[in-house]
Every structure is written in C-alpha cells, then in structure tokens.
Amino acid sequence: SLSLRSTIGVTDTGLMALAGMDQLKSLDLTFCYRVTDWGLSHLSRLTSLESLNLTDCTNCTDMGLASLHPLKRLFQLTVRGCHSITYAGVIAAHHAPLGLLELHLMIQNHMRNPGHQRGRDESRRDALLIEIRSFRRIVGT
C-alpha cells in the first residue's frame, strides 16, 4: 500500500518509477494534481493493483482511465473532483475487463456529457447509475 496523498511533487515521471512495484496493491493519488493521463498509463504495469484513488487528480481525463485497462485485479476505483473525466470515461472503465466491484464517484455538473443541456444532468446521472448497475457497491457523494 502506498499513499502519495497531497504530495505536490508527484509527477508523471514519478509514476513511471512506480511501474516496477509489481506487488503494489493500493495506491492513493489524492490531490496529486500534476499527474496526467501519461502518468496513469504507467500504472497499467502494476498488475497486482486492487485499489486506486484519483480524487482531485484534475489533469486526468477519460483517456487516462482507459489506460487502466490491463489492471484486471483493480476492484476499487475512486474518481472524485476529476473535472475532465466524463460519463463516457466512467462507463468505459466499467466496460473494460477490470474486476471493479466498487466505484466511488462524485457526479456534478462538470461530469455532463458534452453537447447536452445543463438541465439534463439528473437524467444523465441516472443513466450512468443504471449503466454501472453490475458493480456490487456504488458510493456517490
């Protein structure tokens, strides 16, 4: 288990250095705002990773979530305050062959589907929750 929570100096290059920690099971990147999709792509080599917290990783996008595809053991993913991650990214993570059982997310106006009116946010949220109904536990705040 490794917590880099609020470690301002964590960058994509730092995550590249973690790629050799093949026994790492839990990684907390909360408030590591310098991490981007390129950094997340290096995490795909952490094949033992079971839990990943991306809270307030504001430079991560749908593409970064997609790069987690090889993490077959990942069962807990936290995506809160990631303003560039959309419904499409969350759904793509769900459909990837991850072992996700628990998804922690914050659905706010910034998570709207592009091109949709603001008034449709609640129906989009409901659609997302229906789409990911196979998760054992969904924690939304």
Side-chain angles (χ1 to χ4, degrees):
S1 181
L2 179 61
S3 177
L4 297 173
R5 176 183 283 263
S6 300
T7 307
I8 296 170
V10 174
T11 63
D12 294 339
T13 305
L15 292 185
M16 186 168 51
L18 292 179
M21 299 178 69
D22 57 358
Q23 298 303 310
L24 188 63
K25 294 190 182 294
S26 176
L27 181 60
D28 185 351
L29 296 174
T30 299
F31 299 119
C32 293
Y33 63 88
R34 295 175 69 188
V35 170
T36 69
D37 294 339
W38 187 67
L40 289 183
S41 71
H42 298 299
L43 300 181
S44 67
R45 294 177 27 209
L46 299 175
T47 56
S48 294
L49 199 62
E50 297 175 351
S51 175
L52 178 61
N53 189 335
L54 298 175
T55 298
D56 289 315
C57 290
T58 55
N59 288 310
C60 295
T61 71
D62 295 345
M63 189 182 315
L65 278 185
S67 72
L68 302 177
H69 181 276
L71 301 179
K72 310 282 191 259
R73 294 184 182 180
L74 188 66
F75 74 87
Q76 182 180 57
L77 177 63
T78 302
V79 180
R80 292 181 178 149
C82 300
H83 304 295
S84 296
I85 293 178
T86 67
Y87 284 117
V90 173
I91 290 170
H94 166 61
H95 287 299
L98 303 172
L100 283 177
L101 298 176
E102 217 172 289
L103 176 67
H104 299 253
L105 58 110
M106 179 178 287
I107 301 173
Q108 291 182 324
N109 289 339
H110 72 269
M111 258 190 150
R112 288 192 312 269
N113 270 337
H116 288 86
Q117 297 174 348
R118 182 174 221 155
R120 298 181 68 181
D121 286 341
E122 286 193 22
S123 63
R124 293 290 164 204
R125 180 196 65 217
D126 294 342
L128 173 65
L129 293 177
I130 290 167
E131 182 69 31
I132 59 179
R133 67 186 172 275
S134 67
F135 286 128
R136 230 183 253 169
R137 182 168 171 216
I138 300 169
V139 180
T141 56

